[in-house]
Amino acid sequence: MASRFRQALNSSEFVVTSEIAPPKGINLETMTHHVDLLKDRVHGLNVTDHQSSVMRYPSLGGCLLIKERGGEPILQMTCRDRNRLALEADLLFAASRGIQNVLCLTGDAVPVGDHKEAAGVFDLDSVQLLKAIRELEAGRDLGGNTLDGDVEFCAGAIVTPEADPLEPQLIKFEKKVEAGAEFFQTQAIYDLDNFASFMEFARQYPVKILAGIVLLSSAKMAQYMNNNVPGIFVPQALIDELAAAVAAPDAPKGAGLAKGIEIAGRMIREIRENRLCDGVHIMAIGREEVVPDILAAAGMADWQPTGRIV
Amino acid sequence: MKSITRQKSLEQIERGLSDWARVFIVGCGTCTTATMTGGLEQVLEMKEQLEKMDKWVSGWTVIPVACDEMTAVSIEEHGRAIADAGCVLAMTCALGVHRLNQYLERPVVPALDTLFIGVEETPGCFREVCGQCGECVLGETAGICPVVTCHKGLVNGPCGGTNRGKCEVDKERDCAWSLIYARLKAQGRLQAMRNYQPPRNHHRMPRPRVTRLV
Ligand code: SF4
Ligand code: SF4
């Protein structure tokens, strides 16, 4: 049966997903709190897979937790740490436990993380992983052997609409579509005009696009991202807006974050009202508890993710 | 083509030699001379360093091409001094260490780390251009190897970490896929980048790799 998330993607509803970062260690209290807070507010929750190559509690474990608490997990899977056997086996495990949504990523490079001497595997890449998923669905593994029991996945990937140069990313986007991606989460976007022109391109393909919304908490963070995070471009006007929010003499503590929530909400509202794409993926990076505030700022305080069969 | 090496730290070398008081040093007149890691000058410097470690250097030589079979002749010439030493310290690449081991009964201790096989791009600048993977894709990547030039060895196009032509692991390094894209585009062959590349066969020739002519 199609996953709840896939049903939402194929409904006419505006899709909202968010992201949960597993802890370093087995104290799952905070993660559980975030899952409980968000599971009924969104169509699906991504669990990151050793994001930025920092070793953490596994994505599969986080997805099981979401499942146990009645939420809809989206398994992030990178190609950095596992060869094709291990990736296939984890996909079988996920399928056997009702985890059917998979986001396929290449994975960050090992040296950017906290296990700098580890081997980077990259036996498959994101395109090959997507294809592997469709092979498993056809009843075969990558060794060409028959599988006992059917699996079904809603598989997606990442695209970076602000990449410079853009064309190589678009070529890879096409390869991912051909390999079987049915949905895409974008890298953070801030310039909606730019995004609209990307959507003109993406609309040619039979895939759903979720715009990546990364919460900004200060002008400094925005500047840092511009200088250091590939494919992210925060326009100067937004940086000025964030700076002005804390510069006011009567600015309360947390004014920067409040402004960031307002900006994220405003963008979601605009995307949703103008139907720029099929939905949004909200990344609050360490501040998952403010996702409901972002939805409220988007005018979605009472909104319920319904595009699913309960 | 050169075998690119870097000298191990003196602490590492001292640890490697800890079982012996007397040492014979071998340098190489080819690659390690070009990279200034095992030429005449470096061999003489090493002699001094070893003496500071209270080692007795029974002799030294710089073999013209340490990895070829003429090495046997050089070894013989220095048979006496080598016999006086407990071990041989090799300032050659690992291929030289291998060759020395073939002809010597004495233990051979490497003084260098062998990094990669590279070509000299500009004087003094060596680049790894091929990792001898056994399944060459250069024909579809405009002659730029994604297996060794891309940090992740990706064969289906750039990762999301590519930024203004640079690689996510180092802002100073070119992203392989930006280079491949630019060159394919200039050649009017962007189509090659759209071709799906299947997962690579890591056992095209399973290790240990050996071939025989005829
Ligand atoms: S693909 Fe790269 S590593 Fe493999 S043989 Fe060709 S140049 Fe060498
Ligand atoms: S940035 Fe370019 S070279 Fe670096 S890992 Fe990604 S694709 Fe490879």
Side-chain angles (χ1 to χ4, degrees):
Chain A
M1 203 185 74
S3 73
R4 279 164 26 190
F5 175 58
R6 182 188 266 168
Q7 290 175 36
L9 286 174
N10 293 333
S11 73
S12 57
E13 196 170 338
F14 188 71
V15 173
V16 178
T17 58
S18 191
E19 199 157 286
I20 300 277
K24 188 128 188 138
I26 60 161
N27 180 351
L28 306 181
E29 238 172 83
T30 310
M31 178 163 70
T32 308
H33 170 67
H34 288 154
V35 169
D36 287 345
L37 188 72
L38 300 179
K39 67 181 166 62
D40 298 320
R41 300 298 321 271
V42 295
H43 289 105
L45 281 173
N46 274 227
V47 186
T48 51
D49 179 13
H50 310 305
Q51 195 168 32
S52 306
S53 309
V54 172
M55 194 285 297
R56 288 174 176 278
Y57 190 74
S59 176
L60 258 174
C63 286
L64 277 178
L65 181 87
I66 293 172
K67 197 81 198 166
E68 282 161 17
R69 310 206 58 103
E72 177 72 349
I74 301 170
L75 177 70
Q76 287 200 4
M77 221 176 201
T78 73
C79 299
R80 179 191 52 236
D81 309 313
R82 286 163 286 187
N83 72 1
R84 61 193 89 170
L85 278 82
L87 288 167
E88 288 175 288
D90 280 356
L91 283 163
L92 294 183
F93 177 70
S96 74
R97 303 296 290 269
I99 298 162
Q100 287 185 294
N101 311 303
V102 186
L103 184 79
C104 302
L105 306 109
T106 301
D108 292 315
V110 170
V112 307
D114 71 347
H115 282 55
K116 294 189 189 305
E117 298 185 1
V121 178
F122 305 108
D123 183 28
L124 300 184
D125 60 32
S126 51
V127 181
Q128 294 159 347
L129 178 58
L130 284 160
K131 250 201 148 69
I133 287 175
R134 298 312 181 206
E135 277 296 306
L136 295 180
E137 285 183 322
R140 279 182 309 270
D141 65 15
L142 289 181
N145 299 305
T146 309
L147 299 172
D148 189 2
D150 295 338
V151 298
E152 187 181 328
F153 292 103
C154 174
I158 294 285
V159 64
T160 308
E162 297 273 6
D164 173 21
L166 183 59
E167 195 177 16
Q169 297 291 325
L170 298 185
I171 291 174
K172 194 147 185 191
F173 172 89
E174 288 175 330
K175 286 173 102 160
K176 287 174 176 176
V177 176
E178 271 165 39
E182 54 197 289
F183 73 96
F184 280 84
Q185 289 177 191
T186 78
Q187 174 59 287
I189 51 137
Y190 293 98
D191 183 330
L192 293 183
D193 291 335
N194 245 354
F195 181 63
S197 58
F198 164 75
M199 281 309 299
E200 258 172 55
F201 163 83
R203 286 266 182 242
Q204 302 166 259
Y205 301 88
V207 292
K208 305 290 177 181
I209 308 284
L210 307 180
I213 304 291
V214 168
L215 172 69
L216 297 170
S217 54
S218 66
K220 214 170 123 194
M221 173 192 176
Q223 233 131 24
Y224 177 85
M225 293 208 304
N226 274 354
N227 294 334
N228 295 292
V229 186
I232 293 194
F233 174 68
V234 187
Q236 192 56 42
L238 284 187
I239 299 178
D240 293 344
E241 197 181 336
L242 282 158
V246 288
D250 54 346
K253 209 170 161 268
L257 178 61
K259 181 51 90 180
I261 292 171
E262 182 194 319
I263 291 171
R266 191 166 75 208
M267 287 179 51
I268 295 171
R269 183 199 295 265
E270 214 176 312
I271 292 169
R272 181 162 169 246
E273 282 174 1
N274 300 323
R275 267 300 179 147
L276 280 181
C277 62
D278 306 290
V280 288
H281 175 61
I282 305 169
M283 292 166 272
I285 311 181
R287 298 183 199 268
E288 285 78 3
E289 64 284 351
V290 306
V291 171
D293 302 330
I294 295 175
L295 288 172
M300 298 168 78
D302 302 320
W303 175 87
Q304 289 284 324
T306 56
R308 63 192 215 196
I309 297 163
V310 187
Chain B
M1 184 204 81
K2 294 271 181 301
S3 195
I4 308 305
T5 49
R6 183 160 61 195
Q7 195 183 311
K8 289 178 182 282
S9 70
L10 288 173
E11 293 78 63
Q12 282 174 306
I13 292 171
E14 191 165 12
R15 226 176 301 133
L17 295 174
S18 59
D19 287 346
W20 303 281
R22 291 165 302 156
V23 181
F24 184 89
I25 308 172
V26 174
C28 173
T30 310
C31 299
T32 63
T33 290
T35 54
M36 296 191 282
T37 48
L40 177 63
E41 231 171 277
Q42 294 79 40
V43 166
L44 293 176
E45 272 165 32
M46 182 59 73
K47 178 173 178 283
E48 253 174 61
Q49 291 296 342
L50 295 189
E51 283 162 359
K52 277 190 211 153
M53 295 173 195
D54 280 336
K55 304 282 180 196
W56 182 67
V57 178
S58 68
W60 56 267
T61 182
V62 176
I63 300 176
V65 191
C67 63
D68 80 11
E69 67 283 357
M70 289 302 285
T71 294
V73 178
S74 305
I75 296 283
E76 235 180 79
E77 272 171 28
H78 295 276
R80 192 61 204 265
I82 292 174
D84 278 348
C87 73
V88 169
L89 181 68
M91 299 183 73
T92 68
C93 76
L95 302 184
V97 174
H98 192 81
R99 200 46 112 171
L100 289 166
N101 265 305
Q102 234 181 311
Y103 302 128
L104 284 171
E105 269 165 33
R106 290 263 181 281
V108 182
V109 177
L112 312 180
D113 286 317
T114 300
L115 303 173
F116 58 89
I117 307 295
V119 293
E120 191 162 15
E121 258 190 352
T122 51
C125 176
F126 299 90
R127 179 182 294 278
E128 182 181 29
V129 292
C130 169
Q132 295 85 42
C133 79
E135 206 176 38
C136 197
V137 297
L138 285 180
E140 288 178 89
T141 55
I144 297 158
C145 171
V147 176
V148 297
T149 315
C150 164
H151 176 79
K152 299 172 188 167
L154 304 176
V155 291
N156 272 304
C159 73
T162 176
N163 205 9
R164 295 179 200 117
K166 299 296 173 189
C167 174
E168 78 175 7
V169 292
D170 186 344
K171 282 183 203 168
E172 303 299 315
R173 290 196 208 191
D174 291 329
C175 163
W177 277 101
S178 288
L179 298 175
I180 294 169
Y181 162 73
R183 221 169 129 77
L184 283 175
K185 192 168 175 148
Q187 295 176 342
R189 290 183 63 216
L190 264 191
Q191 191 53 39
M193 203 167 149
R194 293 178 204 276
N195 294 342
Y196 170 71
Q197 299 288 348
R200 296 182 49 245
N201 178 358
H202 293 278
H203 303 282
R204 181 53 50 105
M205 179 177 273
R207 289 206 158 90
R209 306 197 279 198
V210 182
T211 66
R212 281 188 189 83
L213 300 180
V214 301

